[in-house]
Amino acid sequence: MGELTFPQTLPTLGTVGVSFEPEEVAFLSPEAGGTIGAVTAGFPRWVLRASLGQMTFAQADIWRAWLAVQRGPQRPFFAYDMDRQHPRFHGKSRPYQPAPATWSQAIRPDGLAVLTLGGLLAGQVVSIGDYVGLIWSGGKLALTRAVETRGADGSGSVSVAVEPPIPPVVPADAAATLRRAGCLMRLVPGETKLGEAGITHFSAGTTIVAVQDLIR
Amino acid sequence: MRAFSDAAMAAIEAGTARVVGAVEILCDPPLRVWGGPWEQEIDGHDYIGVGDRGIASTGGAAIGSAAQNVTLELSGVDPTHLELLDADEVRAAPAVLRRLIFDGSGTQLLDVHVYRRGRVDVVSTEETIGGAAIIRAELEGAARGLGRRGGRLRADADQRLVAPDDGAFKHVSYAAEKQLYWGGKPPTSAGQALG
């Protein structure tokens, strides 16, 4: 009986380059009169591109086993930004409570999504680029990222603009987290490549490309 | 004529609109899917979210010309959506293609309207071993021979097979070119037309 459980978590070993960004599919329609029209198709989704450097064989074995067990795009896995697993301002005896007790999202008339987190510590900072993850009904995940830096007030509440907005499907009782916030992704088969084993080390050149599975 | 809600029109003008499609095929059982990630209620029915696996493509159409078919494509299909092919009488089943317009944040549905109504014409599947499975359904617009049976009548000879004495179709071949003028000869100059 194996010990592996799904969804697996993305390994972080040997990562030298990471791009973890929300992707939009949009179309531009410039007109001769000077107007530029634009329309966006569908909803934003997170895309991960990671390239791996030289690894020891022990590290490479972990990646090879992980990639094999993913069976290409068959199994969704838990992915997160490897460079920002905690908020920027934590540690060094700064106030840090990774699990906000409450969350709510308000959309301003200009479309900006403002997330209000409650139950943090007074003075705790949610910095630009910090991730906020939401989990509900035993494993469904939503992910967003702060686009401004705000400090929590005396009661531990902070309002910060986020992108992309949290979709309305997320129920109000979803649990929020600032620590290793992520989403479920699937590997992109054509673009994910594995490097080669050399004589002394496993060569650089492994590329992992994955997109968020919004349906899960 | 499509009437957009004021909020949707404002979003389109500002360039912040987010457009998603929804398909309803009234076979038995009815199939209702839309391109978003969650279950969405539209006009009292729940639509299953299929995400970007569903794509609708439509040809160009001009006012007064023949309506174009709309091709719906569902790729990377998982077994729950394959019931479309198992459904009874999917051929010629009525289908409604709707367009949903969300605000820029994707959280507020501004407008839902019917984009095209028609009937399912051809449903084809494409399966590649080791690749994605694709279901392709063509929707025939209402203007193009709804529920036709067999071939269409085009010529005098066709009609004579049905009714040997019916010669009305002999006019069809040049009727398309016949120009009719209301009230006499056409004007040859602007002065004549205005004066």
Side-chain angles (χ1 to χ4, degrees), chain A residues 70-85:
Chain A
Q70 286 307 123
R71 294 186 179 163
Q74 281 189 21
R75 292 187 163 126
F77 61 91
F78 178 73
Y80 49 91
D81 189 344
M82 300 142 168
D83 279 348
R84 192 67 81 88
Q85 300 187 34

Side-chain angles (χ1 to χ4, degrees), chain A residues 24-25 35-45 105 107 111-113 163-169 213-216, chain B residues 11-20 34-39 49-53 78 102-108:
Chain A
E24 300 268 11
V25 179
T35 313
I36 292 192
V39 72
T40 311
F43 299 92
R45 57 176 66 211
Q105 180 180 251
I107 306 291
L112 190 74
E163 199 66 40
I166 291 165
V169 67
D213 188 347
L214 287 168
I215 309 291
R216 297 277 158 183
Chain B
I12 291 166
E13 282 171 6
T16 59
R18 231 175 244 287
V19 179
V20 190
W34 79 294
W38 61 84
E39 206 163 280
V50 294
D52 289 354
R53 284 175 289 186
D78 62 28
F102 283 84
D103 71 333
S105 67
T107 56
Q108 235 183 321

Side-chain angles (χ1 to χ4, degrees), chain B residues 23-38:
Chain B
V23 183
E24 179 177 36
I25 297 177
L26 295 168
C27 44
D28 186 24
L31 176 109
R32 296 185 179 97
V33 293
W34 79 294
W38 61 84

